[in-house]
Amino acid sequence: MAGWWRDAVVYQVYIRSFADGNGDGTGDIAGLRSRLDYLRDLGVDALWINPWYPSPMADGGYDVADYRAVEPVFGTADEAAAMIEEAHARGMRVILDIVPNHTSDRHAWFQAALASPPGSPERARYWFRPGRGANGSEPPNDWRSVFGGPAWTRVPDGEWYLHLFDSSQPDLNWDHEDVRAEFEAVLRFWFDRGVDGFRIDVANGLVKRPDLPDLGPHDEEAVLLPADRPDHPHWDRDGVHEIYRAWRRVADSYPEPPVFVAEAWVRSPERLARYLRPDELHTAFNFDYLRAPWDADALRKVIDESLATVAAVDAPATWVLSNHDVVRHVSRLGRPLTPGAYSLAHLPPVETLDRDLGTRRARAAALLMLALPGSAYVYQGDELGLWEVEDLPDEARQDPTWERSGRTEVGRDGCRVPLPWSGTQAPFGFSPDGTGAAPWLPQPPDFATITAEAQDGDPASTLTLYRNALRLRREQPALGDGELTWLPAGPDVLAFSRGGGFTCLVNLSHAPVPLPEGAQVLLASGALDGDGSLPADTAAWLAT
């Protein structure tokens, strides 16, 4: 079945860090509207906007207090409506983030639950339970928060509530009909306002086993690691699929049905495919690809598995290199090979980082990703070649992981630093000139070399590479959704055809490789050697 989402390039807007329109140091809708022409000229098909709802910002907006409004720091409902209309006028669709696993502790439902007694209907929408041990002083079970520490917090009357994330993010009880009805109504609220779809946060976490059993020795959980047991009590339970079938019915009731993309960290491609059956969600993030190391065999394996898995349910593959939860891929690829690592806690120390190598590989990885069949996601700043900011001062860190881990894990702030747009010093055009407010996270001085302004018009810049790649992706009929055929290639080299005389060649080895005889270079991620061969850690799109 044809659909724009099957081969779209979607640009992720982490709104706090994209562009500040009113000068308060925090990104907002006004800033986003001012940069829509930039995004159109980049060549993306859609925008995915991280949560813009009212929130205390305990977890960067993923603690939602009201799903039907806009956080005043980001703007107004009228500004949101204007932004959606203006994006549509430029040929870009708009996907919002929805956070169904938990609310903010400031949400009206949770405030009503706290004001109500144990056993009340208000508490039944969440997971309130009596404690264990003497006087109920121990948590109801041994579950751990993704951000560190117990997944339970006690309230003054002695009961405990479940929060798989921060204590300010109480988990909803999706066995309760009120919860299911409310979120279907929220979907309709935004669909009626022109939103083209939703990215579903923690899509694999909504349903819990009702008896809330102990996890036992496997009590260390992380949202970005697949559950290692077939009957996990709170990750990837079969009951989530009934929810998404209902959501799909809501979407399909519209003349131009909106779409869903799942953030679902699961233990196998086969489990992920269950979310993509024809009556459930349209697409899901391919985290196996994101975690794959810079190794030809490993990449080919995950590409083959991904394509085979989604083909079985007639869904498109998706490809992604970075997002707001993982270390930017320039900084991952510039370190010694570490399969599966995505956080600073699991990567080699910064002293091992070769940023030039990471940049070279990141540029090649972009051409590889954009040549694969299916859709692709570009995290804001990928097109500038941004790296992870790893030396943020402790007092600036805002990720709840930092405090809940006892300041042992720095968390995700380093990939969320505000974008550099122009100028030679902070705030690098992130905020309007003369406003004086510092960005909500500090920018490093060496961002001056990679601002959008500095790269604009430079034929060798990463921004120009992305613009050219996205232009060619639209012009080349073979690119986007479709078939892939592997071609013979040497060790540590990937070569494949997309039909129509289009070939992608990626050199992951340590030595140059010759181009196919008679091939015309459409685009390369770096300069070719003097003899016309493809250097190490370089990719090329070829007409053959």
Side-chain angles (χ1 to χ4, degrees), residues 117-132:
S120 62
E122 290 81 3
R123 290 199 174 185
R125 295 169 175 150
Y126 294 90
W127 292 96
F128 279 86
R129 292 292 185 271
R132 299 191 292 193

Side-chain angles (χ1 to χ4, degrees), residues 509-529:
S509 74
H510 299 294
V513 297
L515 298 182
E517 187 173 350
Q520 174 192 352
V521 177
L522 301 173
L523 184 64
S525 64
L528 302 184
D529 283 348

